[in-house]
């Protein structure tokens, strides 16, 4: 019996290495030669600062999103960040483990992008008996002072749910709880991309989760991740007036489906496949929300969360060395895990290559200490540029980066990092 199990695991591992040999070499077997810090627009020590909170509740943040305040004409008059931070992540992480203790609750924070001021958001009306461990989140803009709708993936004790709140510019530090969305389809919700105030895409990262009984967990989820099994998926969810949901599969067969984002014009959807170090791009029907696969771009790391900026560039953040991330999560002495964030900018229609091989062989991202082109070949459709790198000594375990196209400012959080980093040109 044991020999059969080992044979299956060997086959799965060989398949994964065949599909993602470069990523396995550079992201598992080799510690990337990253600098202590690199920021594309200048010296990290003079251009970047790490926002921290004395009680350490602005730690271990997994996701964040811009919250825009618009005037009646739709112009942005103020921009804030809402971040979900869980200082208890090393005791409760339904994706990586462990599942020891879901107490205490995690936190939502409001960050002013003008002066970096911090305010904690209280969950008004949230049931006392409910756990709160935020993962993916997104909020609608506030139009002319009207309340916004905020959805947050919640990895609670018994199941993973999606919490529905409203938040208003008049009381920006209060998120009014409306309802908890629960469904058998919510096997492993991870990230969100809103399509309206009552609908969104949600990724499910695993079919086999850490919630399975022992010994199925942690063994099966680990096999699914390591082997890059295409068992994750993306769904589109509509919230009906009575609080029920309509669930539709949008994309199947995605290994570790993670971050999801919609382009500013609404016609393109991007989806992270973390296990394979790839981003999938889909053409999106804006009327039906149906998706049609278009292309894949490989990354030099295990990509986590993603976002489009206003100019249509996709900002991708990830983990360059998975064993280091595991060591940090396990609280190993002196462990640190590196960070890497890149931008993917669409190449001009005027850019042509004689052959696909010419595009793949070209060198690019040459300003970065460790160029992306040292790890993965160039894309024919997207220009990839490093925005930030660190070996973990300055800022580690990067999982989400936002870029404000108006100011050029960069905001980064780390899965097991203390604080929120802000870099300004």
């Amino acid at each position: 019996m044991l020999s059969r199990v080992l044979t299956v695991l060997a086959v799965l591992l060989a398949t994964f290495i065949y599909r993602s040999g470069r990523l396995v070499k550079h992201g598992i077997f080799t510690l990337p030669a990253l600098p202590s810090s690199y920021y594309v627009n200048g010296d990290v020590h003079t251009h970047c600062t790490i926002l921290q909170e004395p009680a350490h509740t602005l730690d271990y943040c997994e996701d964040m999103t811009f919250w825009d305040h618009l005037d009646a004409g739709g112009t942005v008059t103020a921009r804030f960040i809402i971040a979900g931070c869980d200082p208890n992540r090393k005791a409760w992480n339904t994706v990586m483990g462990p599942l020891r203790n879901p107490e205490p609750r995690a936190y939502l924070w409001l960050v002013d992008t003008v002066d970096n001021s911090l305010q904690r958001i209280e969950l008004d009306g949230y049931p006392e008996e409910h756990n709160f461990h935020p993962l993916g989140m997104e909020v609608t803009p506030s139009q002319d002072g009207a309340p916004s709708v905020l959805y947050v993936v919640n990895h609670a004790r018994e199941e993973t749910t999606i919490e529905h709140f409203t938040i208003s510019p008049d009381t920006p530090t209060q998120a009014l709880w409306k309802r908890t969305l629960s469904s058998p389809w919510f096997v492993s919700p991870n990230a969100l991309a809103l399509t309206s105030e009552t609908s969104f895409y949600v990724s499910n990262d695993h079919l086999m989760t850490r919630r399975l009984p022992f010994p199925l967990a942690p063994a099966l989820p680990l096999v699914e991740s390591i082997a890059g099994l295409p068992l994750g998926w993306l769904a589109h969810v509509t919230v009906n007036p009575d609080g029920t949901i309509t669930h539709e599969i949008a994309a199947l067969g995605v290994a570790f489906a993670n971050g999801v984002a919609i382009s500013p014009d609404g016609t393109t959807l991007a989806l992270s496949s973390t296990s394979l170090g790839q981003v999938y791009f889909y053409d999106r029907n804006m009327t039906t929300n149906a998706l049609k696969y278009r292309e894949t771009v490989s990354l030099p790391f295990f990509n986590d969360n993603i976002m489009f900026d206003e100019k249509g560039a996709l900002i991708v953040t990830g983990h360059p060395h998975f064993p280091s991330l595991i060591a940090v999560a396990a609280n190993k002495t002196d462990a640190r895990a590196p960070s890497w964030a890149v931008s993917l900018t669409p190449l001009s229609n005027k850019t042509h290559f004689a052959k696909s091989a010419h595009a793949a062989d070209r060198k690019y991202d040459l300003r970065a200490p460790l160029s992306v082109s040292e790890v993965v070949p160039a894309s024919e459709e997207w220009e990839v540029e490093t925005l930030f790198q660190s070996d973990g000594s300055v800022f580690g375990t990067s999982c989400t980066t936002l870029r404000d196209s108006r100011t050029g400012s960069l905001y980064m959080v780390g899965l097991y990092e203390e604080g929120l980093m802000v870099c300004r040109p």
Side-chain angles (χ1 to χ4, degrees), residues 350-392:
K350 297 180 180 179
T351 302
H352 299 287
F353 301 99
K355 296 181 180 179
S356 294
H358 295 168
D361 291 341
R362 70 185 175 90
K363 298 298 182 181
Y364 62 101
D365 188 40
L366 299 181
R367 289 197 295 166
L370 178 58
S371 166
V372 176
S373 65
E374 294 296 318
V375 184
V376 293
S379 166
E380 292 186 55
E381 304 295 335
W382 300 82
E383 185 68 34
V384 184
E385 181 181 29
T386 293
L387 302 178
F388 181 85
Q389 290 178 335
S390 174
D391 61 7

Side-chain angles (χ1 to χ4, degrees), residues 295-354:
E295 61 188 320
T296 297
V297 175
S298 295
L299 281 306
F301 45 68
F302 296 96
N303 41 300
D304 202 321
N305 288 322
I306 58 181
M307 66 86 68
F308 278 102
D309 67 14
E310 291 105 323
K311 295 182 179 180
L314 185 72
I315 311 302
V316 186
T317 310
H319 310 286
H321 191 241
F322 195 68
S324 294
L325 179 65
I326 296 298
V328 172
N331 234 10
K332 300 291 186 181
T333 303
D334 297 327
R336 68 186 187 193
S339 294
W340 201 338
V342 301
S343 64
L344 275 64
T345 304
L347 286 171
S348 168
N349 292 333
K350 297 180 180 179
T351 302
H352 299 287
F353 301 99

Side-chain angles (χ1 to χ4, degrees), residues 188-351:
S188 53
N190 189 303
L192 299 170
L194 302 188
T195 54
S196 75
E197 291 190 347
T198 58
S199 61
F200 49 83
Y201 293 100
V202 57
S203 61
N204 281 260
D205 52 60
H206 285 75
L207 178 63
M208 299 177 285
T209 75
R210 295 269 177 167
R211 296 184 186 274
L212 291 172
F214 182 84
L216 299 179
L220 292 183
L222 191 60
V223 169
E224 184 176 338
S225 295
I226 293 176
L229 300 182
L231 301 180
W233 68 95
L234 182 73
H236 187 264
V237 173
T238 300
V239 182
N240 303 313
D242 62 357
T244 61
I245 68 166
T246 300
H247 182 280
E248 298 175 291
I249 298 295
L252 280 170
V254 181
F256 203 143
N258 201 327
V260 58
I262 299 173
S263 63
D265 65 5
T267 62
T268 297
L269 181 139
L271 177 63
S272 271
S273 174
T274 299
S275 290
L276 301 184
Q278 296 177 333
V279 172
Y280 301 151
F281 289 91
Y282 301 84
D283 293 321
R284 173 175 173 255
N285 186 310
M286 297 173 62
T287 302
T288 66
N289 291 301
L291 303 178
K292 181 181 180 181
Y293 171 78
R294 188 172 77 213
E295 61 188 320
T296 297
V297 175
S298 295
L299 281 306
F301 45 68
F302 296 96
N303 41 300
D304 202 321
N305 288 322
I306 58 181
M307 66 86 68
F308 278 102
D309 67 14
E310 291 105 323
K311 295 182 179 180
L314 185 72
I315 311 302
V316 186
T317 310
H319 310 286
H321 191 241
F322 195 68
S324 294
L325 179 65
I326 296 298
V328 172
N331 234 10
K332 300 291 186 181
T333 303
D334 297 327
R336 68 186 187 193
S339 294
W340 201 338
V342 301
S343 64
L344 275 64
T345 304
L347 286 171
S348 168
N349 292 333
K350 297 180 180 179
T351 302

